[in-house]
């Protein structure tokens, strides 16, 4: 069931939700959380589909906030709120409200969302694209216990990771981190089977994929060994190689679906390690609403400390080295004793220049 509301407010939206539940015969509210999706019109469909699939596991009230661009000055100074209320089969197992904000109300989205939150229920805010650098300080992020971003959708993932590390607050998380959960589980299980020490690690994956950097930082932070980040054609994360005192351990996934686990002295094993859809990632994040300390520790390790990373390459480039040398080159400064020795010669030269008929020649 869908109810369209034009130029409305939060009170009318709440009334439409109650009327919709009564019309389909479910007046009771059986939802466990409020999921706020902040996106644009282009990505709204995919985000709504992923949230609807995740609602089968986590029944929730989904609020989609779409800020519409105003083309004229009159539209920018006026405010309007349009809403689309979905209940029943059109909203999965919960309720969905699509909020389209026009004009000045775009800068006050939190005042529109706040009256629509489920009472006494946790709030999760998800930015599928264009997430803020500091989600906890965002007006909508301040309403939530959990804030989900995706650095994979950013133009410069490495810069985003560095900014998120500086601005991290308990409750922040990233779908790029969620994507490597099966890899972390498999590597931890592989290390539990041996009693060797890890000497170095190499993480291989496609360029501009923050999941590769996050996995490398997690391994470096947990194992306290050098970790090298190398590039491949993908898709996504392709291999992890661990050099141990008992021989190499390798987890290789070349096709994005099936991986091969190789441990020295043991037969090779095929492991299901497929790339997961966004709905599965969101469902995983909604299972836990407490701060992820492991993610925070790995994020704060820093991309620049990885060997072979793009950030490290930029820092080690000849241009960067030249800039550093130029900035650190010492400037010669004369001592007071040297100034005292040079002073009589300077006074004599100045006196000669004043007496000379051609001062320019004397100066030369």
């Amino acid at each position: 069931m869908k109810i369209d509301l034009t130029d409305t407010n939060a009170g009318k939206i709440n009334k439409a939700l109650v009327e919709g539940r009564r019309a389909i015969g479910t007046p009771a509210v059986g939802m466990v959380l409020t999921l706020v999706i902040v996106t644009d019109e282009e990505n709204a469909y995919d985000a709504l589909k992923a949230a609807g699939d995740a609602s089968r596991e986590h029944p929730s009230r989904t609020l989609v906030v779409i800020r519409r661009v105003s083309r004229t000055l009159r539209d920018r100074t006026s405010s309007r709120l349009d809403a689309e209320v979905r209940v029943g089969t059109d909203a999965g197992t919960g309720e969905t409200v699509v909020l389209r904000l026009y004009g000045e109300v775009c800068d006050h989205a939190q005042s529109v969302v706040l009256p629509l939150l489920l009472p006494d229920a946790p709030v999760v805010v998800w930015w599928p694209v264009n997430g803020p650098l500091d989600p906890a300080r965002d007006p909508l992020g301040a309403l939530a216990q959990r804030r989900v971003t995706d650095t994979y959708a950013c133009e410069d993932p490495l810069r985003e990771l560095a900014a998120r590390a500086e601005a991290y607050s308990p409750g922040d998380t990233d779908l790029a981190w969620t994507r490597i959960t099966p890899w972390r589980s498999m590597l931890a299980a592989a290390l539990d089977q041996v009693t060797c020490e890890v000497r170095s690690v190499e993480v291989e994956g496609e360029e501009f994929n923050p999941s590769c950097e996050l996995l490398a930082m997690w391994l470096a932070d947990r194992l306290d060994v050098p970790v090298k980040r190398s590039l491949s054609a993908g898709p996504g994360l392709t291999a992890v190689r661990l050099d141990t005192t008992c021989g190499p351990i390798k987890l290789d996934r070349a096709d994005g679906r099936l991986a091969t686990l190789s441990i020295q002295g043991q037969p090779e094993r095929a492991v299901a390690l497929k790339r997961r859809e966004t709905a599965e990632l969101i469902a995983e994040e909604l299972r836990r609403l407490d701060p992820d300390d492991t993610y925070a520790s790995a994020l704060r390790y820093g991309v620049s400390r990885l060997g072979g990373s793009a950030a490290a390459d930029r820092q080690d480039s000849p241009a960067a080295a030249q800039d550093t040398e130029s900035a650190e080159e010492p400037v010669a400064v004369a001592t007071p004793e040297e100034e005292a020795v040079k002073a009589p010669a300077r006074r004599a030269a100045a006196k000669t220049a004043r007496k000379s008929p051609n001062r320019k020649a004397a100066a030369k």
Side-chain angles (χ1 to χ4, degrees), residues 76-250:
R76 286 194 293 269
T77 55
S78 61
S79 298
R80 193 177 93 229
L81 170 63
D82 294 344
E84 182 182 331
V85 179
R86 304 179 185 179
V87 294
T89 57
D90 292 320
T93 59
E95 300 172 342
T96 300
V97 181
V98 181
L99 304 168
R100 289 182 171 86
L101 283 60
Y102 299 83
E104 294 180 349
V105 75
C106 292
D107 299 328
H108 306 281
Q110 71 279 7
S111 62
V112 177
V113 170
L114 186 59
L116 302 176
L117 301 178
L118 289 174
D120 301 325
V123 180
V124 179
V125 178
W126 172 32
W127 291 269
V129 293
N130 300 326
L133 294 179
D134 191 350
R137 291 184 177 273
D138 184 86
L140 286 172
L143 302 175
Q145 288 79 31
R146 192 81 162 160
R147 296 165 292 274
V148 185
T149 55
D150 191 358
T151 52
Y152 185 76
C154 299
E155 184 177 353
D156 190 347
L158 298 184
R159 183 183 66 86
E160 292 286 332
L161 286 176
R164 299 279 164 79
E166 293 180 359
Y168 174 82
S169 295
D172 293 352
T173 190
D174 193 339
L175 291 186
W177 171 257
T178 315
R179 291 185 180 96
I180 62 174
T181 299
W183 285 82
R184 294 190 290 120
S185 302
M186 191 57 60
L187 291 171
L191 291 176
D192 285 342
Q193 301 178 34
V194 298
T195 57
C196 309
E197 292 185 3
V198 180
R199 293 180 293 197
S200 64
V201 180
E202 180 181 2
V203 177
E204 182 184 271
E206 64 182 359
E207 193 176 5
F208 304 117
N209 191 323
S211 296
C212 302
E213 270 74 22
L214 284 170
L215 181 61
M217 290 189 289
W218 172 72
L219 288 167
D221 180 55
R222 290 296 170 179
L223 299 177
D224 194 21
V225 296
V227 177
K228 179 183 178 181
R229 166 74 165 95
S230 58
L231 301 180
S232 70
L237 188 59
T238 54
V240 176
R241 305 178 184 90
L242 293 87
D243 179 25
T244 72
T245 55
C246 298
I249 298 176
K250 182 179 179 181

Side-chain angles (χ1 to χ4, degrees), residues 8-9 23 38 42 44 65 132 138 179 225 229 238 242 253 265 289 309 339:
T8 185
N9 54 47
V38 187
E42 180 183 359
V65 178
D138 184 86
R179 291 185 180 96
V225 296
R229 166 74 165 95
T238 54
L242 293 87
R253 186 192 67 177
L289 300 176
S309 66
E339 289 291 340

